Amino acid sequence: MRFPPSLRTPATLPAVIALSYALLAAVAIVLTRRSGGIALMWLANGPLIAALATARYRRWPVLVGAAMLGSMAASIAVSPFSSVGPIFASANIGEAALAAWLIRYFAVDRSLFTSAPSIGLFVLGAVVAAPLASGIFAMTTLGMLLPLDPLATLFDWQLGHGIGNLIAAPLALLFARSRISGHFLRARHGAWRASGCLLLVAGTTVAVFYQSSLPLLFLPLAPLLVATFSMQRFGAAGGVLIIGLIGGVATLGGSGPMMLIHGGQEIHLQFLQFYLAVLFLTAMPVAATLWQRDRLTLALRESEARYRLLADNATDIMLTLEPDGTIRFVSASVLELGLFSPDTLIGTNAAALVYEPDRARVSAVHVTALKAPDRTFTVEYRATRADGSLGWFEANTRAVSGADGTVGAVVSVLRVLDGRKEREAELERAATTDPLTGLLNRTAFRRAAAEAMAAARHGIPSTLALLDLDHFKAINDTYGHAVGDKALLMVADLLRDRVRAGDVVGRVGGEEFAVLFSGLSQTAAAPVCDRIRVALGEQRLPGGDIGVTMSAGLAELCPGFGLEPIFEAADRALYRAKAAGRNRIAVESDPRGG
């Protein structure tokens, strides 16, 4: 329970329940009982409902017993039906217990009028279902003992108890749970403002109900809403209670706008109850909306504070864009990572910073994000820094839509990928190049040859040349492997210098190299390859008079064959060149061999 400390002792709360029930029941019986009938305004169940709804079930017997004592005391003291007081007490307190159970079952005791469903469930349980059940019990039981009209009794009971619960229980529940928002009291002059609002409600109600010539029932609504906006649920529940008490006393005294209605006191009180129900169902949803607004505002402020904290301290760049790509916000990290001052980027279009070849791809991702606000999209691209240099970035983008589904902003987090791209390039080079010469390795060269074979099927010729150094083993054995490595490097440099930009060069074995002459037929490639052979024979290793020669075999890529027969054909040509005395080239015209 969350009652004030003074009510948390085992004996104090039951005593308060017994006393309040006796007092409120006696007042209701004396003031609102029509001649020969039942009380038409029953407020006594309000505090009991709040106590039961917020207490542990094991305390219910004590609280119910205390309320029974209070009810019996009121019946004995002022009721003309004291002989059937136990039946009235059972119906009244059974109604309170049922209402409290329904409030707990529907979790109204936890939400406490913070949403329209919470208010509706409270009305359904405490205002409709519980009074109806107790009214049927009272009508059935008392109808056999007293001269009462069953339907009229049920109607009066339902209305009086339902409206009584509607007026008295909400404020009691708020007090019991200590869920009254106290920020309006802690604010500067908050207590004075709260007191002023309630006094304004009371003063306006007195002015309206202590005159009977004008139908001014609309006037209390204005100060009630002022109290609701100022104190939210406390203002709504407290204001309706004040209007109900003042209006009820005035109506019972024969004063107020209700006197303009033709009918007796019963009709006047019933219309007052209807009026109070309308006030409650007007003010309490407003209070719930205000409560939700405050929680939403607080959540937004917390979210903004977290976002700002992350933006100010994050190592990534955080961007907020308009749907058209205009930069609305950029974090301070852009100065370090992009060399831009954040202020200079506000109002510019983010697409202008993207490297032009990547711009269409990034824009397509942006458009896709606008169409799917519930998803995050990632794209890698190059962007221009303030100094004109290019950098790699990864953007994680998510569109933000409003309640109507319209996208109002796009949030992006940019991460610098320069280091990762460099590592990827290094890994790519390690996987595709020969570590000694820097040429393509065998796997990468064959991949390039396969691409050239696909191009050959579309009429673009290419010729494969396999080059092998003559007597290379003798160089290693005579001068050592260090000299042999220098010879390999000299050949690699020569090949790089003598081939065209579109040609592919690789080291495919120990002393075996390969060249793919792109766009050249075998007839055109042979003299080029031979000039490379002659140039190599004229070179000497640095620091000595050691020369290297090579033999070469050529085969043109034929569309009707696979890649492997072409390599075999070039290898056969190379074998013939070596067999013919080395330091020469040979061609293989027929990949089928022979």
Side-chain angles (χ1 to χ4, degrees), residues 173-242:
L173 274 169
L174 289 170
F175 271 118
R177 276 297 190 192
S178 297
R179 293 290 180 85
I180 303 171
S181 181
H183 68 277
F184 59 86
L185 295 176
R186 294 190 297 270
R188 185 179 182 184
H189 306 308
W192 288 103
R193 185 164 54 250
S195 301
C197 290
L198 295 180
L199 286 175
L200 181 61
V201 172
T204 304
T205 306
V206 168
V208 169
F209 277 88
Y210 281 91
Q211 59 85 37
S212 305
S213 57
L214 297 174
L216 301 177
L217 290 176
F218 62 89
L219 285 182
L221 181 60
L224 175 62
L225 291 178
V226 171
T228 301
F229 273 91
S230 179
M231 296 174 285
Q232 296 185 3
R233 293 170 293 166
F234 176 79
V240 171
L241 182 60
I242 290 173

Side-chain angles (χ1 to χ4, degrees), residues 8 65 74 111 129 237 321 343 357-358 393 395 411 448 478 548:
R8 292 177 184 172
S111 57
L321 310 176
D343 294 337
D358 298 342
F393 294 86
V411 178
T478 304
V548 181

Side-chain angles (χ1 to χ4, degrees), residues 243-278:
I243 295 172
L245 293 175
I246 296 175
V249 172
T251 302
L252 288 170
S255 177
M258 305 305 170
M259 300 304 108
L260 298 175
I261 301 174
H262 296 292
Q265 188 182 71
E266 177 184 357
I267 299 299
H268 297 159
L269 286 174
Q270 289 174 348
F271 191 83
L272 175 64
Q273 291 169 330
F274 171 75
Y275 170 70
L276 294 174
V278 171

Side-chain angles (χ1 to χ4, degrees), residues 16-32:
V16 171
I17 292 298
L19 182 60
S20 65
Y21 205 98
L23 179 61
L24 291 174
V27 171
I29 293 171
V30 170
L31 295 181
T32 68

Side-chain angles (χ1 to χ4, degrees), residues 8-56:
R8 292 177 184 172
T9 59
T12 304
L13 183 58
V16 171
I17 292 298
L19 182 60
S20 65
Y21 205 98
L23 179 61
L24 291 174
V27 171
I29 293 171
V30 170
L31 295 181
T32 68
R33 184 183 63 80
R34 64 189 176 104
S35 178
I38 62 173
L40 297 178
M41 181 74 77
W42 192 257
L43 302 178
N45 278 350
L48 178 59
I49 290 173
L52 294 175
T54 55
R56 293 184 174 90

